[in-house]
Amino acid sequence: MKQAKAPFQFVTASYLIRICAARATTLGELAQNLHSCSDASIFHHTFQSLERQHYTVFSNDFAQWALAACNEAALGERLAAIDLRDCTSLAQLRDSLVNAVDGYLQGNPTAANRSAFEPFFFCEALEFSVPRDETASNLQELEEGIRRISLQTLHHYFINSRLRLHLKTNDFSHWIEDSLDLPELARRIDLIDIYVNTLEDLREQIIKTIHPWIDR
């Protein structure tokens, strides 16, 4: 069994959610707050919201509010079209969100001050990770570890990793390619869709992809 050049360090990750003072009752107020809210707020309403949004129309909170509370389906679609898999920094993501809302309001100025059915409350997600006494030196140990980690920790490794690595990849694929020199397996794991799978489905898809490679 192929051994890694460097071990994969497992952690336990969790989130603290905090309600902010900022809120929006119109799209104009949403636009203003998108410029000034914290990075932790941008993170919560986009990357972190993927943990709970598989049963709504759109996968981020801004898009969902534009549709459900403002009845602006076209803006909701524009916001939902921002692909988090292409974002490697929160600054880049904020720019995309701001451009989507500002651009829409330029073309639809009357929508800026129309009251929403309910306000948008800005929240922040603060992520904490603690190293565990567990590492993986080969694919079998990686698979076993993935079976044991929490869903929030899986979210940390597979979705939030783009912000941490500043690469369009996840921690598992990055380690598999860099330490095990298996770029094809890394690519296949990267292709698993974060939008159509729940986190539990993601776990099963990752394990299913890794398992045939263990004895190669």
Side-chain angles (χ1 to χ4, degrees), residues 38-97:
S38 66
D39 283 351
S41 190
I42 295 292
F43 172 79
H44 171 74
H45 293 298
T46 54
F47 275 87
Q48 209 273 328
S49 70
L50 272 176
E51 191 176 347
R52 61 185 188 281
Q53 289 283 24
H54 285 91
Y55 305 105
T56 59
V57 177
F58 295 137
S59 60
N60 72 68
D61 294 337
F62 303 120
Q64 187 65 25
W65 185 73
L67 171 67
C70 300
N71 199 28
E72 300 288 346
L75 175 58
E77 291 173 359
R78 187 177 298 192
L79 288 165
I82 298 171
D83 195 337
L84 299 185
R85 292 169 294 191
D86 293 331
C87 298
T88 58
S89 75
L90 289 172
Q92 173 193 0
L93 177 54
R94 185 195 300 271
D95 286 344
S96 296
L97 293 166

Side-chain angles (χ1 to χ4, degrees), residues 66-147:
L67 171 67
C70 300
N71 199 28
E72 300 288 346
L75 175 58
E77 291 173 359
R78 187 177 298 192
L79 288 165
I82 298 171
D83 195 337
L84 299 185
R85 292 169 294 191
D86 293 331
C87 298
T88 58
S89 75
L90 289 172
Q92 173 193 0
L93 177 54
R94 185 195 300 271
D95 286 344
S96 296
L97 293 166
V98 165
N99 290 338
V101 177
D102 287 352
Y104 183 80
L105 292 181
Q106 287 174 9
N108 301 271
T110 58
N113 297 316
R114 191 180 301 133
S115 295
F117 299 130
E118 60 183 16
F120 185 94
F121 294 96
F122 281 80
C123 299
E124 294 179 336
L126 305 178
E127 185 186 62
F128 300 90
S129 61
V130 179
R132 296 170 56 179
D133 293 330
E134 182 177 4
T135 60
S137 296
N138 53 55
L139 286 177
Q140 183 173 344
E141 291 174 356
L142 181 68
E143 180 187 295
E144 291 169 354
I146 292 172
R147 290 183 186 277

